[in-house]
Amino acid sequence: MRLTVIGTGYVGLVHAACMADMGHMVLGIDLDADRIESLARGRTPFYEPGLGELLHRTIESGHLRFTTSLAEAARFARTHFVCVGTPQRPDSNAADLRFVDAVMDDLAPYLRDLGGWCLVVGKSTVPVGTAVRLEERLGKVAPQAEIAWNPEFLREGFAVQDTLRPERLVAGVVSPRGEATLRGVYAPMLRVGIPFISTDLSTAELVKLAANSFLATKISFINAMAELCDATGADVMTLAEAVGRDSRIGHAFLQPGLGFGGSCLPKDIRALVARAEELGLGDSVAFLQQVDEINTRQRRRAIALAKQLVGGSFSGRNVAVLGAAFKPGSDDVRDSPALAVAAGIYCQGARVRVHDPRAVDRARAVFPGLQFALDVPKSCEDADVVLHLTAWPEYGEIDPARLAAVVRRPVILDARHNLDAARWRSSGWTFRAFGRPWLGGPPPLDFDARSVHRIHDVNEHDQSMFSSHGGLPQ
């Protein structure tokens, strides 16, 4: 089939390359001429495992090419995927739909002039009711064009895998022809038994937001339990293991730590709350506001515990931060908990040096005041405390005995629960982690669980960084 993908950000580029790899003829469209030129040469604008190789292969095969022209896109295919960003609005928690609206408005005249039936498929994450509104908007100019909604469920770091072998395909359609077209697009997946869920437009929109809200709730729940463990001496890791053994709950996303970030979960739960409030149903999802607050509080708790570990003040202290990306396997620093903590500590007077295997350049662009290092020992030189904030696998391979030789004080906060506490402690390190203050022994003499909860002295400037939603396009 011939397909277009409008928007070559994270979702769009992965979708375009994967559809081309499945054998479709795909045209990618973006208004950024520099980006299109770079993509045509096989250069990816962000890091995603496997995407670079996929891009080169599909370009060389002739199945994928790029343009800035919507007119060319309308002529090229009858099925158009819209993959532009829907970030959080700067003035509210609602989703900013300007880019989706602009694509529909700009594409519609070309579809009208060409005539004939065509399908415009939204993949962007939007508030429920958007597709119906866009259907009416598009129909006024190009009545032969049909809308469908096909949300994506990508995990950064696994996006290629999630696109080629998804757990399910959800299609919101308004006609049998629209459904048949999408079944044709995904025919190779359907042949291997991947479930195809056909539904209405509103349900398809809501599925993505509901899924992300549920995942965010699990993360905040276990972090709330970690707070109780800090106050009582219980072990959150054992708690999570025991609770996760319940088949109704499971272990997925029941990992205590610094909380969630990135371009999806934070803004999606806020957008869902905002839309519910518009519908007069704010009380129904009010718990998501608490989910968001617990998540943001984890960042303040990390700063409070780090401050305690350096003696109560960051002034004149050296802080090493391991991790800047919001998650391993990505160079994305949008709403990164790690970067928010690093910046918050810097604003309280510490010298902060950050290491990340992939995200240093993007992190430096967001917070140029921080120092950055290209290797772990350099980032930890003369550190008074080391903060493990992004769970890159290579951090689990660090030799704590060797690292102890370069720091000023062998003290580490494992905010991701991915390090071997016994190994670090046997190498002479003071080791701390949320929900595990005792680590199997008596409380350390310098630990005051209550002080970790006294986090309200963070000033407004620091607080603004904990829920940043700027960054890269979708």
Side-chain angles (χ1 to χ4, degrees):
M1 294 178 66
R2 295 167 71 89
L3 313 172
T4 75
V5 176
I6 303 171
T8 60
Y10 191 87
V11 172
L13 183 57
V14 172
H15 187 67
C18 287
M19 294 301 100
D21 195 56
M22 287 168 52
H24 299 300
M25 302 299 295
V26 181
L27 182 64
I29 302 96
D30 202 292
L31 296 180
D32 187 335
D34 291 338
R35 171 171 285 210
I36 289 298
E37 181 180 357
S38 181
L39 288 173
R41 296 178 180 178
R43 299 174 183 168
T44 58
F46 48 83
Y47 173 71
E48 176 61 35
L51 180 60
E53 297 88 340
L54 196 63
L55 186 63
H56 279 285
R57 183 165 69 243
T58 52
I59 290 174
E60 290 177 0
S61 71
H63 282 83
L64 178 61
R65 63 185 182 87
F66 299 93
T67 183
T68 59
S69 172
L70 279 175
E72 183 181 357
R75 293 191 299 269
F76 179 82
R78 291 294 183 179
T79 303
H80 309 279
F81 287 90
V82 177
C83 303
V84 296
T86 54
Q88 185 176 325
R89 287 176 50 173
D91 59 344
S92 75
N93 285 335
D96 188 342
L97 301 177
R98 288 178 298 165
F99 306 112
V100 174
D101 288 348
V103 166
M104 296 297 179
D105 290 345
D106 293 344
L107 181 62
Y110 298 115
L111 300 180
R112 176 198 60 203
D113 294 344
L114 286 170
W117 184 89
C118 60
L119 187 66
V120 181
V121 187
K123 290 197 74 69
S124 303
T125 303
V126 296
V128 60
T130 301
V132 170
R133 179 178 63 81
L134 292 175
E135 182 182 34
E136 296 174 354
R137 187 170 183 149
L138 185 63
K140 292 177 180 178
V141 180
Q144 82 283 9
E146 184 174 314
I147 286 280
W149 220 263
N150 173 219
E152 51 81 20
F153 301 96
L154 306 186
R155 299 168 296 165
E156 292 196 34
F158 301 91
V160 172
Q161 170 186 320
D162 289 345
T163 301
L164 293 175
R165 294 178 294 279
E167 293 179 318
R168 77 290 204 193
L169 292 161
V170 176
V173 295
V174 299
S175 77
R177 187 174 184 179
E179 178 178 339
T181 298
L182 285 175
R183 285 185 178 275
V185 170
Y186 295 120
M189 301 177 186
L190 301 185
R191 284 195 292 269
V192 297
I194 291 172
F196 185 96
I197 301 170
S198 180
T199 185
D200 58 88
L201 296 175
S202 295
T203 302
E205 292 168 315
L206 196 53
V207 165
K208 173 62 183 293
L209 292 172
N212 278 355
S213 295
F214 185 79
L215 295 176
T217 299
K218 288 190 73 173
I219 295 170
S220 285
F221 170 81
I222 198 62
N223 282 333
M225 294 302 100
E227 292 191 47
L228 290 175
C229 289
D230 275 335
T232 61
D235 186 338
V236 72
M237 296 302 286
T238 303
L239 183 150
E241 168 65 17
V243 170
R245 290 284 179 178
D246 189 323
S247 61
R248 298 167 300 176
I249 299 172
H251 289 103
F253 278 69
L254 209 62
Q255 174 71 27
L258 194 54
F260 55 83
S263 64
C264 291
L265 263 63
K267 64 102 173 175
D268 285 355
I269 63 173
R270 295 167 193 159
L272 182 57
V273 171
R275 180 58 176 148
E277 290 174 343
E278 290 173 357
L279 296 169
L281 297 171
D283 289 347
S284 298
V285 294
F287 71 95
L288 289 176
Q289 295 176 326
Q290 187 65 18
V291 167
D292 196 11
E293 168 54 28
I294 291 169
N295 188 62
T296 301
R297 187 162 68 241
Q298 287 300 101
R299 307 176 188 194
R300 301 197 296 270
R301 292 184 71 224
I303 292 177
L305 182 50
K307 181 185 286 188
Q308 180 182 333
L309 292 173
V310 297
S313 173
F314 285 120
S315 181
R317 299 295 189 179
N318 296 326
V319 177
V321 170
L322 302 182
F326 88 94
K327 64 176 290 186
S330 172
D331 63 354
D332 195 343
V333 298
R334 286 176 287 183
D335 202 1
S336 166
L339 199 53
V341 169
I345 290 173
Y346 167 79
C347 289
Q348 292 190 36
R351 291 184 292 271
V352 181
R353 188 178 292 139
V354 181
H355 173 269
D356 191 281
R358 292 285 180 176
V360 164
D361 289 342
R362 294 200 186 280
R364 183 184 288 115
V366 176
F367 286 112
L370 300 174
Q371 299 178 38
F372 295 90
L374 298 179
D375 63 75
V376 171
K378 183 66 177 178
S379 68
C380 295
E381 279 185 1
D382 298 321
D384 294 290
V385 65
V386 177
L387 309 182
H388 174 230
L389 303 183
T390 305
W392 286 97
E394 42 264 72
Y395 294 152
E397 299 170 1
I398 293 172
D399 184 340
R402 290 188 177 183
L403 197 63
V406 303
V407 299
R408 181 182 297 170
R409 298 173 64 244
V411 180
I412 187 165
L413 167 58
D414 179 14
R416 290 298 183 182
H417 292 277
N418 284 96
L419 303 181
D420 185 336
R423 183 168 175 243
W424 283 80
R425 296 184 77 188
S426 66
S427 298
W429 286 76
T430 297
F431 190 98
R432 299 289 183 269
F434 293 134
R436 307 190 76 192
W438 280 246
L439 293 173
L445 294 177
D446 63 342
F447 186 82
D448 177 5
R450 292 170 300 175
S451 71
V452 178
H453 297 275
R454 291 196 290 266
I455 55 180
H456 302 293
D457 60 343
V458 179
N459 63 42
E460 291 182 3
H461 182 271
D462 296 334
Q463 293 234 26
S464 68
M465 290 181 290
F466 296 136
S467 57
S468 169
H469 50 265
L472 308 173
Q474 184 167 345

